[in-house]
């Protein structure tokens, strides 16, 4: 069966520090991969998605970037964190090439910026 | 572009009572519709989805939803709720073409009181 792993589960970082959140998927190949942010009391906002290695689409301009160095690995990064980057970050995957397939979510990373 | 409106941010219900969580969407094209549930400090779990066919769809944990094209709605229902149904519920839509990009509503917090 397919599984998705996100780490770390929680992270406290000072303003201006770098960030790297990692997501890996097991049990499937060539998935679509997604990064979402969930701010407190708000819905989910799609940040990035990827349909293949090295292919990244950004949905909103911001202080973050994403990379997909391997088929089942998706990384969210920042060079300098801002206070507004605080939130709950969720990684998700869906079957590649099929837009009617549901997305499957990881357990998230709660990021607090001090 | 698509948008989703969840009409109630919070819904308190007594245990064993019925519940309906409302979802309306806006789109210039046909869409796929999803309901997800999020338990505290966890990722999202798929409850059910509507792709085509019968407008009444059944999901996990006794939930069901009805697609109403004329009213552009996809309300979630359960005839008798349990304490364990306490969670946040998200309605989402995606366009049928291209990489699946979910657009989420703001969420409805369902609280079950004994």
């Amino acid at each position: 069966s397919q599984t998705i792993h996100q780490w770390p589960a929680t992270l406290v970082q000072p303003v201006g520090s770098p960030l790297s959140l990692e997501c890996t998927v097991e049990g499937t190949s060539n998935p679509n991969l997604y990064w979402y942010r969930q701010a407190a009391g708000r819905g989910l906002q799609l940040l990035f998605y990827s349909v293949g290695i090295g292919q990244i689409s950004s949905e909103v301009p911001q202080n973050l970037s994403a990379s997909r160095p391997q088929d089942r690995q998706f990384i969210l990064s920042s060079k300098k964190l801002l206070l507004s980057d605080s939130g709950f970050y969720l990684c998700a995957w869906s079957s590649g090439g099929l837009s009617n397939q549901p997305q499957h979510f990881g357990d998230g990373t709660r990021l607090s910026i001090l | 572009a698509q948008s989703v409106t969840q009409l109630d941010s919070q819904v308190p219900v007594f245990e064993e009572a019925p519940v309906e969580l409302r979802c309306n969407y806006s789109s210039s094209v046909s869409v796929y519709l999803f309901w997800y549930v999020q338990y505290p400090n966890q990722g999202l779990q798929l409850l059910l989805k509507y792709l085509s066919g019968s407008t009444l769809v059944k999901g996990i944990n006794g939930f069901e939803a009805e697609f109403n094209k004329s009213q552009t709605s996809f309300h979630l229902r359960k005839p008798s709720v349990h304490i364990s149904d306490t969670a946040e519920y998200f309605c989402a839509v995606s366009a049928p073409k291209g990489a699946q990009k979910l657009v989420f509503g703001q969420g409805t917090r369902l609280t079950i009181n004994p």
Side-chain angles (χ1 to χ4, degrees), chain B:
Chain B
Q2 294 82 39
S3 67
V4 178
T5 302
Q6 290 184 241
L7 298 162
D8 306 295
S9 59
Q10 297 186 57
V11 173
V13 181
F14 286 109
E15 195 173 15
E16 298 183 5
V19 70
E20 178 180 83
L21 306 183
R22 297 180 292 169
C23 172
N24 286 89
Y25 69 93
S26 173
S27 177
S28 58
V29 298
S30 59
V31 293
Y32 299 135
L33 295 149
F34 305 84
W35 274 101
Y36 285 86
V37 60
Q38 184 180 33
Y39 299 103
N41 295 312
Q42 293 185 25
L44 277 69
Q45 180 182 5
L46 180 70
L47 276 178
L48 47 80
K49 61 183 178 182
Y50 173 79
L51 305 179
S52 64
S54 173
T55 57
L56 182 64
V57 292
K58 294 187 182 298
I60 62 171
N61 301 342
F63 284 94
E64 64 181 31
E66 186 158 18
F67 170 58
N68 188 317
K69 188 174 182 180
S70 62
Q71 297 187 12
T72 61
S73 68
F74 191 53
H75 300 333
L76 181 71
R77 302 186 184 101
K78 186 170 182 177
S80 176
V81 295
H82 190 266
I83 291 286
S84 59
D85 293 322
T86 296
E88 186 125 21
Y89 292 79
F90 292 93
C91 181
V93 303
S94 71
K97 292 184 178 180
Q100 187 206 66
K101 295 191 291 181
L102 288 174
V103 175
F104 284 88
Q106 294 297 91
T108 297
R109 183 170 300 278
L110 176 63
T111 303
I112 311 301
N113 299 307

Side-chain angles (χ1 to χ4, degrees), chain A residues 54-94:
Chain A
Q55 300 178 59
I56 308 295
S57 296
S58 174
E59 287 297 292
V60 292
Q62 57 204 311
N63 186 42
L64 302 168
S65 62
S67 61
R68 185 171 177 173
Q70 300 181 45
D71 183 44
R72 291 167 290 176
Q73 183 185 28
F74 206 26
I75 297 172
L76 184 69
S77 304
S78 173
K79 292 182 179 178
K80 286 186 177 181
L81 285 167
L82 306 172
L83 282 173
S84 58
D85 292 323
S86 291
F88 192 48
Y89 289 82
L90 289 159
C91 181
W93 73 272
S94 66

